[in-house]
Amino acid sequence: MKSKHKGNFFWNREKQTMLEREQEEHRELEQKRQEVEKLTNDVVWFKRLMAHNLRMPFAIITGYGELLLSGSCASREEELDCIRKICNNIDYLNTLSKVLLDDDQEELLSQKEYFDVLACVRRVSEYVRTITQKAGIRIVVNSSREEVLFFGNRISLMRAFFNLIENSVRYMNRQGNIVITVEETWKEILIVYRDDGEGMRPEEAEHITELDFQGSNRKKEGNGIGMYLIRRMVEAEGGSMEIKTGEGVGMGIYMSFAKNQQKNL
């Protein structure tokens, strides 16, 4: 009798051990599955991020290269201007590759300095001139001031404006104007970005900065991360963003950066 109870005891222990081993193996498999899923998602996100950030600079370089090869430049100075813009975009790509690829990308994006945001906007609008002209779009930069000092990350703001202009080129769906106004008061820096494209329904605009959202006015393939990245960049610089639009009235993006908030970054 004792032998029977003893046998049952060991059998039950063995079953318990087997069950625990199976549960542990199941947990390990689930953990590995989650790690593979996260890695896959990270790779997909990285590909989308790379495609979105690199497309415009490469298109600019190609545009100025084609301009040089066509012999359309009227003078040596115009040729040198094209070469300078190609070199500037290569420098931008080098910096951008560090932001996207280096292990210390967070450190690069956290570097803050005072710079003239008005000059930065003008520089970006000049870089993209071949792209916007080809699309029949004119960029106008307005300000009542000669300079507007901004405390933040220069490369982050440049990325935001590259993305904004690229969105307009892709989704205005007609020729027109982009007007960028940069102003400051004693308490904040204001940047208003407006295009006179087709716009979109206000109820759609409420979701335009959400990841993967694409409006019904989309006529060209997009990846649904442009406005999401812009909002993240603005917020990373201590700013806020409001979007005003309607069907047929273009797109208005209002960015505000409180000066005391900037100093605390």
Side-chain angles (χ1 to χ4, degrees):
M1 192 73 167
K2 287 184 180 179
S3 176
K4 184 178 180 181
H5 284 303
K6 190 174 181 181
N8 288 338
F9 171 76
F10 282 114
W11 171 241
N12 289 334
R13 244 177 89 177
E14 182 65 22
K15 284 201 300 184
Q16 182 66 26
T17 302
M18 290 171 61
L19 181 61
E20 290 174 355
R21 190 180 299 121
E22 287 178 0
Q23 290 173 341
E24 180 63 26
E25 289 175 354
H26 178 75
R27 281 193 295 269
E28 289 177 359
L29 285 172
E30 179 60 22
Q31 184 178 352
K32 288 178 181 178
R33 186 195 66 77
Q34 291 177 3
E35 289 173 356
V36 170
E37 183 178 353
K38 182 180 183 303
L39 182 61
T40 302
N41 291 337
D42 288 346
V43 169
V44 171
W45 171 252
F46 177 74
K47 288 173 66 177
R48 293 172 66 189
L49 195 62
M50 289 288 285
H52 191 85
N53 281 276
L54 300 181
R55 184 169 50 231
M56 178 65 90
F58 277 127
I60 294 168
I61 291 170
T62 301
Y64 283 115
E66 289 174 348
L67 194 62
L68 286 168
L69 289 172
S70 68
S72 301
C73 296
S75 66
R76 178 61 177 163
E77 182 54 39
E78 284 190 15
E79 291 178 347
L80 290 173
D81 186 52
C82 287
I83 293 170
R84 277 193 293 269
K85 285 167 183 170
I86 290 172
C87 291
N88 286 336
N89 274 276
I90 291 172
D91 287 341
Y92 173 75
L93 282 170
N94 285 333
T95 305
L96 192 59
S97 67
K98 292 179 182 178
V99 171
L100 296 175
L101 299 175
D102 285 9
D103 293 334
D104 59 350
Q105 58 178 277
E106 290 186 9
E107 181 181 344
L108 287 168
L109 288 175
S110 66
Q111 292 176 357
K112 307 290 182 180
E113 62 177 329
Y114 278 103
F115 64 93
D116 184 358
V117 68
L118 178 58
C120 180
V121 171
R122 285 176 173 153
R123 191 174 302 117
V124 171
S125 66
E126 189 63 25
Y127 286 169
V128 302
R129 184 162 54 90
T130 56
I131 305 298
T132 53
Q133 284 182 344
K134 189 178 290 187
I137 297 171
R138 184 172 68 108
I139 300 180
V140 179
V141 180
N142 292 326
S143 180
S144 63
R145 298 178 177 270
E146 292 185 3
E147 70 172 10
V148 177
L149 288 180
F150 184 94
F151 183 74
N153 186 276
R154 187 192 303 264
I155 194 70
S156 182
L157 261 294
M158 288 183 71
R159 287 171 66 196
F161 283 104
F162 270 123
N163 284 335
L164 283 169
I165 293 169
E166 182 184 17
N167 276 359
S168 293
V169 172
R170 289 169 67 83
Y171 302 122
M172 278 177 63
N173 295 320
R174 62 189 181 195
Q175 298 182 351
N177 298 302
I178 295 171
V179 179
I180 307 172
T181 304
V182 183
E183 295 291 354
E184 70 173 328
T185 67
W186 64 273
K187 65 176 183 178
E188 62 184 349
I189 294 171
L190 303 168
I191 303 175
V192 179
Y193 179 99
R194 289 195 59 85
D195 70 40
D196 53 10
E198 292 183 354
M200 66 192 313
R201 294 195 296 267
E203 58 269 24
E204 288 187 320
E206 294 177 6
H207 305 283
I208 196 174
T209 60
E210 296 173 6
L211 182 60
D212 293 327
F213 179 80
Q214 298 185 48
S216 59
N217 68 336
R218 181 176 67 92
K219 293 183 180 179
K220 297 179 181 179
E221 184 180 354
N223 54 22
I225 66 173
M227 292 302 298
Y228 168 76
L229 290 175
I230 291 165
R231 176 178 61 80
R232 282 185 54 183
M233 292 173 198
V234 170
E235 291 175 351
E237 299 301 325
S240 60
M241 188 171 79
E242 182 182 3
I243 297 171
K244 296 181 180 180
T245 185
E247 289 184 287
V249 298
M251 180 77 69
I253 299 169
Y254 299 77
M255 292 164 275
S256 173
F257 303 87
K259 289 182 177 178
N260 62 343
Q261 179 66 25
Q262 282 200 297
K263 290 178 181 178
N264 291 330
L265 290 175

